[in-house]
Amino acid sequence: MKNKAIHYVDVVESRTDGAPGRQQCVLDHNITFDKAAIEQATFRPLDDIDIDLLVVISAVSYVDRLIRRRRGTQWSRALVVRVPVHHPETWSRLAGHLSATLRLLSGDAWTFDFRQRQRPQQPQQFLPSLPPSFEGATVIPYSGGLDSFALLARVRHYEPDEKVLLVNARRLVVEQIARPDDVAMIGVPFELRAPHHKEQSYRTRTFKYLALAALVWKKNSGKHILIGESGVGCLGPSLVPVGIEHPVRSSHPDFLHALRALLGQLWATPPPFLFPHLWSTKGMVLAELRGLKTLEGWENTRSCSRNVQRQHPGARGAQCGLCSGCLFRRVSVCAGKLGPEPPETYFEDVFRNAQPSAALTDADRVVARCAIANMDELAGLADQVERRTADIHELAASLQRPVDETRLHLGKLVRVFRDEWRGLLAQLPEASWIHSLTFHGAS
C-alpha cells in the first residue's frame, strides 16, 4: 500500500467506544435498521447471524460513501473497518473472502476487524405479514428500472402462478403490475445518516441490494434469485472501463459468483443467482416481450442515474437523457420497437435536439460525452471481443461453462449491441452533435 493513505473507520455501539484517530459510524445513529420491517416479509425471524449481515451490509455502504477517492491520481482506497458482531469468530473466518468480494466490486483494498458486540439488539415481536403461499417464491432485486420491469413481465407471462418477492421495490411501480396479489415487495430495512456523502461512486450499492435479496430468499425458502440485467448491462461496463476507474461489475457474474460463495460459507447453503437475460441485449428482451404483449406500463420505469430535479430545479422530465442509463435505454427502446416515449420523458431529448440545449451545464456535457464514448467503444469491440482471453476465461469460470461456448455467446452479444447502437444513431437528427463524438457507429 505504498503511497496510499489508510482510512480507519470504527463501527461502534456508542460514541464513547471508538479508538482515537479513527472515524466513527455509530449504530442506531449513523446506521439504523428496522428488524421488524424485514421480518414482516419473511416466514422466519432473523437470528443473530442475520443481524450481523445487516450490520456488515450497512457498514460497507456507509464507509464506501464516507471516504473520498483521489480520482485524479488513484482510484483504489485502503479501508480498514472495525465491526461489532454477535459472532466474531464466524465473521473473522470469512473476512478475507468478504474483502476479496468487495474488491471485485469497488476496486478498493478492504480489511475487516470483527469484534464482539456488547449491546445486542432488543428482541421484537415476530409478525410475518405475507400469505403462506409466498413461501418458496421467486425473489427479484427490483429497482423499478426497465430491466427489472421486463424480467418481472417475463416471469408473469411464462409462470403466471409463480409468487414473486420484489426486493427494494417502490409501491408505485408495484401498483402498475397486473395481478399484484401475486407480487409482494420488500424495501431496504436500513437507513444511513451522515453529515454529507463525500464519495459519489458508491460501487458497493449492489452488494447491499443483492445480499439483502439473498437474505429474503433464505428466510422464505425461496425458489431462486433472478437478476434482471441484460447481457450488455452485466458485462459491457467491465469491458470498457473509464480512465483509471475500476471496471464496473455491479451485476457481473464474477461478482455474483463470489457473493454466492461468501453467503454459502455463512449459511452452508449458497443462494442461487440466475441470469435469464445474460446472452440477450435489452433490445432483444424488449422485442420479445412486446410481441407477447406483456409490457404495459413500461413508460413509467426510470433508467436515469442522476437527479435531474436537484441539478436543474423545476426542469421538465424525470430523466436526464444524457447519462449511460438514459442512452442505453433509448438504444434498447429503439431496438425493441416500443415506439416513442411520452413527451417530456427526458430533460434533454437527443432525438429532438440536433445541438445541445442552452440549459445544459458543463457537468451535463461531461456526463454525455462519457456516456457516448462508453457506448461507442463497446460497439467498437464487436469484432475484437472474442480475443479478450482473460475476460472470457474469467466469465466462463464464474458461469461454470465451457470457454468456447462463452466466447461464442459474448461475441454475438456485442455484435448485436453494435447493430442496436447504429440503429439509434440512424434515428438521430442528421446534424446531431452525437455523431461528432462517435467512431464506430457507421455501418
Side-chain angles (χ1 to χ4, degrees):
M1 296 184 182
K2 185 178 180 181
N3 298 326
K4 182 187 294 187
I6 302 176
H7 304 277
Y8 297 90
V9 183
D10 284 357
V11 180
V12 297
E13 298 174 75
S14 167
R15 286 186 174 88
T16 61
D17 293 344
R22 294 172 177 260
Q23 298 192 67
Q24 283 192 354
C25 172
V26 184
L27 290 178
D28 297 325
H29 176 68
N30 298 118
I31 293 174
T32 58
F33 61 89
D34 185 354
K35 178 172 176 282
I38 190 170
E39 287 187 333
Q40 287 174 359
T42 66
F43 292 100
R44 295 165 189 82
L46 301 185
D47 56 31
D48 286 347
I49 282 287
D50 301 328
I51 299 296
D52 287 347
L53 178 60
L54 289 175
V55 171
V56 169
I57 294 170
S58 53
V60 166
S61 297
Y62 187 89
V63 172
D64 189 18
R65 303 195 68 184
L66 179 68
I67 308 300
R68 188 186 298 277
R69 299 185 187 278
R70 295 164 56 190
R71 288 175 175 272
T73 58
Q74 193 172 66
W75 174 265
S76 178
R77 302 163 296 181
L79 308 170
V80 179
V81 188
R82 284 184 177 174
V83 186
V85 291
H86 295 94
H87 298 281
E89 68 290 342
T90 297
W91 287 98
S92 295
R93 176 172 50 85
L94 298 177
H97 199 148
L98 174 62
S99 299
T101 300
L102 292 173
R103 182 159 199 150
L104 273 175
L105 192 57
S106 73
D108 300 304
W110 294 80
T111 301
F112 289 92
D113 175 16
F114 293 103
R115 52 197 172 82
Q116 184 66 51
R117 185 164 179 171
Q118 301 300 319
R119 303 174 184 85
Q121 184 161 319
Q122 293 299 314
Q124 295 171 302
Q125 187 177 7
F126 177 57
L127 296 171
S129 61
L130 284 178
S133 58
F134 275 90
E135 187 161 17
T138 290
V139 177
I140 298 178
Y142 195 87
S143 66
L146 193 48
D147 280 303
S148 52
F149 183 91
L151 175 59
L152 180 60
R154 173 183 286 278
V155 172
R156 301 302 303 129
H157 178 81
Y158 287 110
E159 302 178 72
D161 297 325
E162 184 75 11
K163 301 293 184 182
V164 180
L165 291 170
L166 305 181
V167 178
N168 186 39
R170 294 172 295 172
R171 184 169 301 279
L172 176 62
V173 294
V174 174
E175 289 173 348
Q176 295 162 353
I177 298 167
R179 298 176 63 193
D181 288 346
D182 290 339
V183 178
M185 66 175 186
I186 303 167
V188 175
F190 56 79
E191 183 178 350
L192 307 180
R193 294 190 183 94
H196 59 275
H197 294 298
K198 298 178 182 178
E199 177 54 48
Q200 297 300 314
S201 60
Y202 196 15
R203 289 290 184 86
T204 60
R205 179 187 289 107
T206 52
F207 172 71
K208 174 173 73 174
Y209 295 137
L210 297 178
L212 180 61
L215 180 59
V216 171
W217 165 84
K218 171 179 176 271
K219 306 310 289 188
N220 288 316
S221 301
K223 183 177 180 181
H224 43 221
I225 305 166
L226 301 183
I227 307 301
E229 286 282 350
S230 68
V232 174
C234 287
L235 307 175
S238 71
L239 295 172
V240 288
V242 177
I244 65 169
E245 290 190 9
H246 182 72
V248 176
R249 294 171 174 265
S250 56
S251 54
H252 193 286
D254 197 36
F255 163 60
L256 269 296
H257 180 73
L259 180 60
R260 179 179 186 272
L262 171 68
L263 296 176
Q265 290 185 40
L266 182 65
W267 297 330
T269 303
F273 295 107
L274 303 180
F275 297 86
H277 300 157
L278 183 62
W279 299 125
S280 300
T281 66
K282 191 187 300 189
M284 293 167 64
V285 173
L286 296 179
E288 176 193 356
L289 296 176
R290 173 182 55 81
L292 298 174
K293 304 185 186 307
T294 61
L295 283 176
E296 182 180 356
W298 71 270
E299 304 92 339
N300 300 313
T301 62
R302 187 175 185 275
S303 304
C304 186
S305 61
R306 307 173 72 209
N307 188 324
V308 176
Q309 295 300 322
R310 181 185 301 162
Q311 292 143 0
H312 298 275
R316 296 180 296 180
Q319 305 185 75
C320 75
L322 299 168
C323 67
S324 294
C326 286
L327 285 179
F328 187 29
R329 177 191 180 95
R330 304 217 78 173
V331 169
S332 305
V333 167
C334 288
K337 295 181 171 56
L338 296 191
E341 296 186 72
E344 300 182 0
T345 297
Y346 300 99
F347 170 66
E348 178 73 6
D349 192 334
V350 297
F351 281 4
R352 296 186 181 187
N353 302 334
Q355 298 302 315
S357 65
L360 296 189
T361 64
D362 289 344
D364 293 326
R365 294 168 189 265
V366 169
V367 166
R369 286 196 295 269
C370 288
I372 294 165
N374 288 352
M375 298 283 179
D376 199 55
E377 185 178 354
L378 182 59
L381 287 179
D383 297 323
Q384 308 169 29
V385 71
E386 289 174 310
R387 298 196 291 272
R388 298 280 287 265
T389 303
D391 292 309
I392 290 168
H393 277 260
E394 176 189 69
L395 181 57
S398 64
L399 294 172
Q400 299 181 311
R401 300 300 303 168
V403 170
D404 288 343
E405 174 189 297
T406 304
R407 178 182 290 109
L408 184 67
H409 282 310
L410 183 61
K412 180 180 178 181
L413 176 73
V414 178
R415 285 191 292 273
V416 172
F417 173 75
R418 175 197 58 193
D419 295 341
E420 293 180 354
W421 176 240
R422 289 174 174 175
L424 173 98
L425 297 178
Q427 295 193 41
L428 296 174
E430 184 176 349
S432 172
W433 60 284
I434 291 179
H435 288 302
S436 66
L437 299 174
T438 63
F439 299 95
H440 305 289
S443 57

